[in-house]
Amino acid sequence: NGAICIQSCSPSFHGETSFICEGRKWQMFADACASLDIQSLFQVRELLHIYFDLFIAKTAPPSTRVHNCQADFSCIIPDILSSPAIPGNIADIVELLNKISLLLSDNVNRGKMQSYSRIANHILNSSTISNWAFVKDRNASSVLLDSVNLFAGKLLLRNGSESIQEHFISTKGYSIHKNTSGKSFDFNMEFNNTGNITGHVVIPEEELLKLPKTSTAVSIAFPTLGAIIETNRLDAVFVNGMVLSVSLPEELRHVLLTFEKVNKLENVKAQCVGWHSTERQWDNRACKMKSDNISSVVCLCRHHHRTFKSFSILMSPTTLRNAVLDYITRTGLGLSIFSLVVCLVIEAVVWHHVTRTEITYMRHFCLVNIATSLLIADLLFILATIFMHNTALNYPLCVAATFFLHFLYLALFFWMFTLGLLILYGLLLIFLKITRSVFIVAAFSIGYGCPLVISVLTVAITEPKNGYLRIGACWLNWYETKALLAFIIPALSIILVNMVVVVVVVVKTGRSSVGEGCKSQDLSNMIRISKNVALLTPLLGLTWGFGLATIVDSHSLAFHVTFALLNAFQGFFILLFGTLLDRKTREALRMSCFSSKRKCSLTK
């Protein structure tokens, strides 16, 4: 595994093909075999000489002409269009277009732009997308995008406008000035054999007012380049619309873009992004979403002539929703909320009967806070799903909801951690007695103070970079900033610590039973608390373990359904193992019911 094999091309091609050994099989990962000979087809220096002859001296000596090539270098087009769009040829054509944009981008007239577009269209064809995966230079698609943007940005306009249309690349230019009442570019282009997609670019009026003089605005549309970037790069991105590029005067900083979605599934969320030319990756800091519906997305994007000139929309790679999953989540959360309300009612009824000793008081105090934290979190989760379908339009509310969900779910675990510390206190620090007031202060500092610090630091670090929220959901980001680790690491650490505490209890009680022959009341209480911890900790750990599995394998429906079930029934687990199965609580509840001379169905 990992071995590389280089193989020569067939006699009619030049270059080489590279293979890598994976799983005891040779897999091709780069194909540089090409039939085009760019050096003989297009000599940049000689063509540059012709260029000056034609535009300066007005004459071009025949001896210096390459195939009598005209100033728009259209003479090379037949050879290029007749060549197969194989990976090696694609790489050569990208290099050719890059050289043209760097050396011959002065006075780009309609003829030049048409020739350039026809060459680019040949390798942007939807039938060539799969071949881009084997182009040796993984940045080839980025080089192509930058080259086209540079060349088209210098387009000269005739009568104040220009439009050059090919199947897979379209260029439009307009003359703009501050008195223009908003300028728009409309594109309707073929994506594949099944249909077309559209794009719309608008320069807002408030931006045009910044122009000191009449200027040129150019926009380029690429219906297939997003898919090409996906295949040409190792990281998983899902472009769900055409790529729209704009070339604007430096005074103009913002542009409004509308993208039609390729994938129009109801629950597929979108994210507005800009292509960072230097970092060569999609960057969500360039755009803000204005609206998102089932068919299209409107983005307000920041234009910068060096970094952000191209924009598109990404599809969330983790959107895995269906009716069954939503039904399980809602039904389970309803049961969880009902269970937590019942739990808190029972605790209120039996409070004076079960909190007579310091240890039992501390135990029920922790249990009430665990149930309260989860109850508020469940209610907030339901409200977020009902009122915040569109995370872009409700972004501030979504940030607030995510902050409190993060805080409350962490509080649930930190109160579990407080229970674990209570067990260690009762078993190991026998002669150290603490008052209720000291315990309450310490418990609140751990149960709510630590989650608050973690939640505040998480939003403060990630939100300025637009990396706090996950795409299309009011929850912590994972793919860009790993903000979710601020929940995963504390939760899993507490689960591990509490399991160690349970082991300590088993060892301690075993020694006590052998050495003393009987158990003290405090030791009996510690065993009761440790049973709660021993039952709840694995269930909570299993729940969020499956939550982590949904991130590792985001396309597994089994993981999502299991996590939805366990997560939704956490309230029922707390009611069952924290209250109903506790003998002292049942006895206190029976006494309360008997003293009030009312039949209590819960006792049954």
Side-chain angles (χ1 to χ4, degrees), residues 386-419:
I386 293 174
F387 295 107
M388 280 175 268
H389 295 292
N390 191 329
T391 58
L393 294 178
N394 301 283
Y395 188 80
L397 291 176
C398 195
V399 170
T402 302
F403 173 82
F404 284 108
L405 282 172
H406 185 202
F407 167 72
L408 291 166
Y409 280 130
L410 279 179
L412 166 69
F413 280 94
F414 274 94
W415 278 105
M416 287 291 297
F417 179 59
T418 306
L419 266 181

Side-chain angles (χ1 to χ4, degrees), residues 7 150 206 241 471:
Q7 191 176 65
L150 177 61
E206 57 269 23
I471 302 173

Side-chain angles (χ1 to χ4, degrees), residues 96-335:
L96 168 65
L97 292 172
N98 186 41
K99 286 183 177 180
I100 292 175
S101 65
L102 292 174
L103 299 173
L104 299 172
S105 58
D106 293 333
N107 299 316
V108 179
N109 54 27
R110 179 178 176 84
K112 271 191 173 185
M113 194 66 229
Q114 282 181 323
S115 297
Y116 195 94
S117 297
R118 291 186 68 189
I119 297 171
N121 185 75
H122 182 59
I123 57 176
L124 288 170
N125 194 299
S126 57
S127 63
T128 69
I129 293 175
S130 59
N131 292 340
W132 279 86
F134 302 105
V135 174
K136 191 172 184 179
D137 182 7
R138 295 295 176 185
N139 292 317
S141 55
S142 177
V143 173
L144 174 64
L145 179 59
D146 292 340
S147 301
V148 175
N149 288 343
L150 177 61
F151 193 80
K154 298 183 179 181
L155 177 64
L156 300 176
L157 305 182
R158 300 181 307 170
N159 302 321
S161 66
E162 193 63 83
S163 179
I164 296 151
Q165 178 83 30
E166 295 290 336
H167 282 296
F168 302 101
I169 178 173
S170 178
T171 305
K172 294 183 179 182
Y174 291 105
S175 178
I176 56 174
H177 52 84
K178 63 181 181 181
N179 294 325
T180 308
S181 60
K183 182 58 70 174
S184 63
F185 305 80
D186 293 296
F187 299 96
N188 187 339
M189 303 181 67
E190 180 181 349
F191 176 69
N192 51 35
N193 294 330
T194 60
N196 294 8
I197 56 172
T198 61
H200 187 65
V201 181
V202 175
I203 305 173
E205 289 186 31
E206 57 269 23
E207 288 291 312
L208 292 172
L209 292 174
K210 302 175 183 177
L211 287 175
K213 60 181 181 180
T214 302
S215 305
T216 300
V218 177
S219 184
I220 313 106
F222 307 89
T224 58
L225 187 58
I228 288 171
I229 289 175
E230 292 176 25
T231 60
N232 205 215
R233 295 178 61 81
L234 298 177
D235 53 335
V237 292
F238 300 82
V239 180
N240 200 25
M242 65 169 57
V243 176
L244 293 174
S245 293
V246 289
S247 179
L248 303 174
E250 291 188 17
E251 293 83 4
L252 305 186
R253 295 299 179 89
H254 294 92
V255 63
L256 205 62
L257 305 107
T258 303
F259 299 93
E260 181 185 357
K261 293 180 180 179
V262 176
N263 190 332
K264 294 182 176 65
L265 295 178
E266 182 177 358
N267 289 314
V268 174
K269 304 299 181 182
Q271 182 182 32
C272 299
V273 291
W275 182 259
H276 198 295
S277 299
T278 305
E279 297 178 0
R280 289 181 171 175
Q281 63 181 3
W282 293 113
D283 193 328
N284 61 3
R285 294 173 297 180
C287 300
K288 289 186 178 180
M289 190 180 294
K290 301 293 288 183
S291 68
D292 181 9
N293 57 48
I294 192 171
S295 61
S296 64
V297 179
V298 179
C299 307
L300 180 64
C301 296
R302 175 168 52 91
H303 171 269
H304 190 277
H305 67 286
R306 290 184 179 177
T307 51
F308 296 117
K309 297 178 72 172
S310 303
F311 309 95
S312 190
I313 53 172
L314 300 186
M315 179 175 65
S316 171
T318 57
T319 303
L320 186 60
R321 304 265 183 93
N322 61 38
V324 175
L325 202 58
D326 288 341
Y327 178 79
I328 291 172
T329 301
R330 290 169 185 171
T331 304
L333 281 175
L335 177 61

Side-chain angles (χ1 to χ4, degrees), residues 239-511:
V239 180
N240 200 25
M242 65 169 57
V243 176
L244 293 174
S245 293
V246 289
S247 179
L248 303 174
E250 291 188 17
E251 293 83 4
L252 305 186
R253 295 299 179 89
H254 294 92
V255 63
L256 205 62
L257 305 107
T258 303
F259 299 93
E260 181 185 357
K261 293 180 180 179
V262 176
N263 190 332
K264 294 182 176 65
L265 295 178
E266 182 177 358
N267 289 314
V268 174
K269 304 299 181 182
Q271 182 182 32
C272 299
V273 291
W275 182 259
H276 198 295
S277 299
T278 305
E279 297 178 0
R280 289 181 171 175
Q281 63 181 3
W282 293 113
D283 193 328
N284 61 3
R285 294 173 297 180
C287 300
K288 289 186 178 180
M289 190 180 294
K290 301 293 288 183
S291 68
D292 181 9
N293 57 48
I294 192 171
S295 61
S296 64
V297 179
V298 179
C299 307
L300 180 64
C301 296
R302 175 168 52 91
H303 171 269
H304 190 277
H305 67 286
R306 290 184 179 177
T307 51
F308 296 117
K309 297 178 72 172
S310 303
F311 309 95
S312 190
I313 53 172
L314 300 186
M315 179 175 65
S316 171
T318 57
T319 303
L320 186 60
R321 304 265 183 93
N322 61 38
V324 175
L325 202 58
D326 288 341
Y327 178 79
I328 291 172
T329 301
R330 290 169 185 171
T331 304
L333 281 175
L335 177 61
S336 180
I337 290 171
F338 174 77
S339 301
L340 291 168
V341 171
V342 172
C343 177
L344 292 174
V345 170
I346 292 175
E347 287 296 320
V349 171
V350 304
W351 184 260
H352 294 293
H353 299 285
V354 296
T355 58
R356 292 172 180 172
T357 67
E358 298 298 324
I359 294 296
T360 55
Y361 175 85
M362 296 173 186
R363 181 248 179 190
H364 285 275
F365 186 81
C366 291
L367 183 62
V368 166
N369 280 280
I370 289 171
T372 302
S373 298
L374 185 57
L375 175 61
I376 298 174
D378 285 346
L379 290 171
L380 186 60
F381 183 87
I382 288 179
L383 290 175
T385 56
I386 293 174
F387 295 107
M388 280 175 268
H389 295 292
N390 191 329
T391 58
L393 294 178
N394 301 283
Y395 188 80
L397 291 176
C398 195
V399 170
T402 302
F403 173 82
F404 284 108
L405 282 172
H406 185 202
F407 167 72
L408 291 166
Y409 280 130
L410 279 179
L412 166 69
F413 280 94
F414 274 94
W415 278 105
M416 287 291 297
F417 179 59
T418 306
L419 266 181
L421 294 179
L422 178 61
I423 295 172
L424 292 179
Y425 159 74
L427 289 178
L428 303 180
L429 304 175
I430 300 173
F431 301 106
L432 177 62
K433 300 297 180 182
I434 60 174
T435 63
R436 290 189 181 185
S437 59
V438 172
F439 167 77
I440 290 173
V441 172
F444 269 97
S445 299
I446 296 172
Y448 292 126
C450 293
L452 182 62
V453 171
I454 295 172
S455 302
V456 169
L457 287 176
T458 304
V459 70
I461 293 171
T462 59
E463 176 54 25
K465 303 176 183 178
N466 291 329
Y468 185 58
L469 297 182
R470 181 178 298 186
I471 302 173
C474 293
W475 186 230
L476 298 172
N477 187 294
W478 171 255
Y479 290 95
E480 287 81 23
T481 62
K482 300 293 188 290
L484 188 58
L485 289 176
F487 173 75
I488 292 174
I489 293 176
L492 295 184
S493 299
I494 289 170
I495 290 168
L496 180 62
V497 169
N498 278 6
M499 294 308 296
V500 172
V501 169
V502 172
V503 174
V504 171
V505 171
V506 172
V507 174
K508 181 68 177 178
T509 54
R511 288 177 179 176

Side-chain angles (χ1 to χ4, degrees), residues 551-588:
I551 297 171
V552 175
D553 186 2
S554 60
H555 299 286
S556 173
L557 184 61
F559 283 159
H560 281 266
V561 171
T562 306
F563 173 64
L565 282 170
L566 292 174
N567 184 45
F569 288 94
Q570 284 183 104
F572 178 73
F573 296 149
I574 291 173
L575 171 65
L576 183 64
F577 298 117
T579 302
L580 297 181
L581 294 183
D582 182 70
R583 181 176 57 84
K584 293 288 186 181
T585 302
R586 292 201 309 272
E587 290 176 357

